[in-house]
Amino acid sequence: MNICVFLSAADLDDRYTRPARDFAELLGKGGHTLVWGGSDVGLMKVVADGVQEAGGRLVGVSVEFLAATARTGVDEMVVARDLAERKRLLLEKADAVVIMVGGTGTLDEATEILELKKHGHTDKPVVLLNTAGFYDGLKQQFRRMEDEGFLPLPLTDLVFFAEEPVGALAFLEESRGVA
């Protein structure tokens, strides 16, 4: 499976890097391919290192203004003109999406895939990996959107909330019929 991971390129502490590395190792050992923003810094590097060291493939999609931080030695690297093209390419190359901790860029990517799902433009499974409760507030907001009629689909049809890396990958594999 090609698994797109949206996440931060920031240098973060162990409460975020350890679970990200655990997920990356599971992904690589499972024979899956990481599709990610292509960066070789911060949490993006942690995940790419973990996947590659565990035998998985790496497909990066960088963007021109960040090309200087793009990882070398990957299976495939594409450099997009802008962020909109980058998001489109990431989603095109992916069979499934995992949203890890991140800032405004990660939130932008997350809401785009959920909006596409909401309107029936994709059926790719989406997991929000809620490491260290990072997305508790967002989860509460999504539930309020559902309760108050802002979502035309049940929240469970849009996104699966996983608290641990093993649960995130298990959901994706089950969703896609991969054992």
Side-chain angles (χ1 to χ4, degrees):
M1 197 171 13
N2 289 350
I3 301 173
C4 177
V5 177
F6 295 135
L7 72 165
S8 178
D11 289 317
L12 301 169
D13 66 43
D14 189 57
R15 70 186 157 147
Y16 298 122
T17 58
R18 185 185 32 75
R21 179 137 183 113
D22 291 348
F23 179 78
E25 289 173 1
L26 290 168
L27 194 153
K29 287 177 182 172
H32 303 296
T33 298
L34 171 68
V35 179
W36 94 117
S39 185
D40 201 30
V41 296
L43 198 59
M44 285 196 191
K45 177 178 176 22
V46 169
V47 170
D49 286 349
V51 170
Q52 200 166 43
E53 289 166 13
R57 296 183 70 249
L58 298 179
V59 174
V61 182
S62 189
V63 66
E64 286 180 1
F65 69 87
L66 295 174
T69 62
R71 187 180 181 102
T72 58
V74 299
D75 297 285
E76 180 185 347
M77 179 64 70
V78 178
V79 179
R81 290 184 314 275
D82 55 35
L83 292 172
E85 181 184 37
R86 181 194 209 185
K87 281 190 295 187
R88 182 183 57 77
L89 291 169
L90 284 164
L91 293 175
E92 279 178 11
K93 293 177 178 296
D95 301 314
V97 175
V98 173
I99 302 156
M100 289 188 175
V101 297
T104 56
T106 303
L107 194 56
D108 172 58
E109 293 160 339
T111 54
E112 177 140 343
I113 184 66
L114 294 177
E115 193 67 10
L116 289 169
K117 278 193 81 162
K118 183 179 93 173
H119 291 290
H121 291 282
T122 185
D123 64 351
K124 295 174 185 181
V126 177
V127 173
L128 197 147
L129 184 52
N130 191 26
T131 301
F134 185 81
Y135 285 118
D136 285 350
L138 185 60
K139 188 176 182 180
Q140 181 180 0
Q141 184 62 47
F142 281 144
R143 285 189 177 142
R144 182 175 181 181
M145 289 175 186
E146 180 180 41
D147 292 345
E148 296 186 15
F150 290 94
L151 301 178
L153 301 171
L155 183 58
T156 55
D157 289 355
L158 291 176
V159 62
F160 176 78
F161 291 91
E163 301 300 319
E164 296 294 330
V166 69
L169 189 59
F171 174 81
L172 294 179
E173 289 178 340
E174 183 177 311
S175 295
R176 285 298 187 209
V178 177

